[in-house]
Amino acid sequence: MNQTTSPVGDVQQPEIHSEFKRDMGFWGNLALGFTYLSPVVGVYTTFAASLAIAGPPAFWMLIIAGVGQLLVALVFGEVVSQYPIAGGIYPWNRRLWGAKWGWMSGWIYTIAINATIASVAYGAGPFLSAFLGIENDPITNVLLALGILVLATLINFGGTKFLANVAFIGFVVEILATVFIGIWLLVAARKHDLSVLFTDFRPAEMQDATPFAIAFIGSAIFGIYLYYGFEANGDVAEEVQNPSRVIPKAMRMTLYVGGVASMFIALGLILAVPDFGAILDGTATDPVGTIFLDTFGAFGFKIVMIIVLVSYLSCTISLQAAASRLMYSMGRDLQLPGSNLLRKFNRKRAVPPFALLFAGILPAVVVIISLLSADALIAIVSFAAFGIYLAFSSVVVASIRARIKGWRPAGDFSMGSLGWVVSFAAIAYQLFAMYTLVTPVPDVPWYQAWLVGLVGLVVLVIGLIYLFTVKPHLRGGGVTGDAATGVVDLRYATPISQSEEIVDLAIRLSGGKPHVYPNTGASIPRTEENTGDEPRQ
């Protein structure tokens, strides 16, 4: 591994170069973010619940949430442009604020993203059962979800280039399917005109009990559960060519393309609903499946199910890739239990193998828990979206604090003075989204009504206890809180060259461990103890 020095203040600090390969270009990075966002998964998962709250006008929440998250993506773009480091939210917050803030955000995001992986894999079960023509009981659903997790893990072990290619295939399939299905629904299955998007179809008793404005805000889950995934573009920053320029652009394009695709398929579905009243009163529990079966017939329904399953699998793969890079980043800084495993790196595959395994095992445990307690699964998964938004907001808050202390984004992408306005608007939207997610559900016991907030509190308390007793922030990680100093210490961010990799492989094949790279004069002993946490002298 190559080693040079970079100035931090008046001290020359060793700059440890990344072991990843830069095999991912703009389109691969865009595809990764898009398949994580996944319009098919997001829209199909929340369609019935959103329309049951506010009816067809819930569609407008896709636009509101899309604009809100675009503001967040712009903030992220400035940060990742200056700090293109694997793991995203965790290393960004370390640099913007400090080690404690970075650790807490990393902890929250680790729990949230692994819960999201579990929810996506578990949510694919009914679609896979429908495609296979088998009854979807709890045990079957768990087995199918575990099968999806195993397949996703194996694909991720293929390395960065293979991941980028698979993500791009998923991206193309989902885009083409969204366009085709949306057009078909609008042409062959449309039962309403656009006026329904401005009409309150709720029955009189619902209108009397809840003002439309309140119901409309409640339907925000339509967009809130959809518009994340762009942070994954930055999670793999050390695997992207020219990341300072490419990743901010890919983040924005993820939202542009994903937003348009989501609105298009959502519009087609809404205008094809035969009876909005049945969704609002809860008698139509699977309106999406019913629309597809009625529109495409039995054979066409099978084809649509294949497309849906490809989307779910692609989403799982992208989520797992992001989660593994986050845990690897924290592992090489000795921040998590099991860091000695999480920090290990497979040079041949250019992936962190144990971090990938954990990103498969932890969601699998969550899925299996559903057999013991369905309530436990609901509790864990309910935290997923809230935890992700909480982690997002931590970056926005840290960036605002850094600006106040003098930080001026120094990457290829910068909003200049407009960054102040965008940052405050972004945190306002994040607060709105988190408020919507923790708002108590009516007509259920209090512990169920406040489930999201209660689980969030438990995660925060456990994290704080670990932080102040084990003190992981005092171990490893190098420079922290340097955003306002004007120093850009890109530790870990520059991968080795192909020629150096070949030399390293040759020495390993011959049984050697010590290593001198050509033209550097640096001798780096390659041992199990120095595989990636602290600067090696």
Side-chain angles (χ1 to χ4, degrees), residues 13 81 107 121 147 179 194 275 305 313 385 412 463 480 491 521 537:
Q13 296 285 346
S81 186
W107 161 255
V179 171
L194 294 177
D275 181 9
M305 286 301 100
L313 177 60
D412 288 345
T480 63
R491 190 166 312 204
Q537 304 297 332

Side-chain angles (χ1 to χ4, degrees), residues 407-421:
W407 175 56
R408 297 295 179 267
D412 288 345
F413 174 75
S414 173
M415 294 182 287
S417 59
L418 190 61
W420 286 100
V421 177

Side-chain angles (χ1 to χ4, degrees), residues 185-204:
L185 289 173
L186 290 171
V187 173
R190 185 167 63 87
K191 295 178 173 59
H192 310 279
D193 58 32
L194 294 177
S195 65
V196 300
L197 301 180
F198 305 91
T199 305
D200 187 357
F201 283 90
R202 297 178 303 152

Side-chain angles (χ1 to χ4, degrees), residues 41-345:
V41 174
V43 171
Y44 294 1
T45 301
T46 59
F47 182 82
S50 302
L51 263 65
I53 297 172
F59 170 83
W60 300 110
M61 273 301 174
L62 294 177
I63 297 176
I64 295 173
V67 172
Q69 285 296 74
L70 178 60
L71 298 172
V72 179
L74 290 171
V75 175
F76 280 21
E78 281 194 321
V79 179
V80 73
S81 186
Q82 180 164 341
Y83 297 111
I85 306 171
I89 286 172
Y90 156 70
W92 298 344
N93 275 329
R94 280 184 66 92
R95 296 305 182 93
L96 290 171
W97 192 323
K100 291 180 182 178
W101 192 261
W103 189 89
M104 278 302 299
S105 63
W107 161 255
I108 292 168
Y109 191 52
T110 297
I111 301 299
I113 196 170
N114 278 289
T116 303
I117 295 171
S119 67
V120 173
Y122 192 86
F127 293 101
L128 187 52
S129 296
F131 173 73
L132 297 175
I134 59 178
E135 183 179 352
N136 184 46
D137 57 56
I139 294 178
T140 300
N141 204 88
V142 166
L143 292 175
L144 293 175
L146 293 177
I148 290 171
L149 288 171
V150 169
L151 181 57
T153 304
L154 292 174
I155 290 173
N156 266 302
F157 266 102
T160 302
K161 183 175 290 187
F162 187 59
L163 169 65
N165 290 336
V166 171
F168 187 74
I169 292 172
F171 168 70
V172 172
V173 168
E174 189 159 351
I175 284 290
L176 293 176
T178 299
V179 171
F180 172 77
I181 293 173
I183 291 175
W184 192 272
L185 289 173
L186 290 171
V187 173
R190 185 167 63 87
K191 295 178 173 59
H192 310 279
D193 58 32
L194 294 177
S195 65
V196 300
L197 301 180
F198 305 91
T199 305
D200 187 357
F201 283 90
R202 297 178 303 152
E205 59 271 19
M206 290 182 67
Q207 295 187 29
D208 293 339
T210 307
F212 178 75
I214 301 299
F216 181 63
I217 291 174
S219 70
I221 58 172
F222 209 5
I224 288 174
Y225 280 93
L226 175 68
Y227 289 115
Y228 46 87
F230 58 88
E231 78 278 11
N233 301 115
D235 288 336
V236 296
E238 294 172 32
E239 300 161 76
V240 179
Q241 301 161 11
N242 194 6
S244 184
R245 179 183 61 82
V246 166
I247 294 176
K249 180 180 178 182
M251 284 181 168
R252 299 192 301 273
M253 286 299 295
T254 293
L255 286 173
Y256 298 154
V257 179
V260 171
S262 300
M263 287 183 278
F264 188 62
I265 191 68
L267 181 62
L269 286 169
I270 289 172
L271 299 185
V273 171
D275 181 9
F276 294 117
I279 297 178
L280 287 161
D281 65 19
T283 56
T285 58
D286 183 20
V288 174
T290 301
I291 291 171
F292 284 157
L293 188 59
D294 292 344
T295 303
F296 298 102
F299 178 75
F301 180 75
K302 291 281 188 180
I303 302 298
V304 172
M305 286 301 100
I306 292 175
I307 295 169
V308 171
L309 288 171
V310 169
S311 299
Y312 270 87
L313 177 60
S314 298
C315 184
T316 304
I317 293 167
S318 298
L319 279 162
Q320 193 181 57
S324 66
R325 272 52 170 187
L326 168 66
M327 290 190 287
Y328 169 73
S329 182
M330 297 187 73
R332 71 181 173 187
D333 290 348
L334 296 175
Q335 300 296 295
L336 291 175
S339 288
N340 287 334
L341 291 176
L342 293 172
R343 64 177 173 161
K344 291 186 181 296
F345 196 87

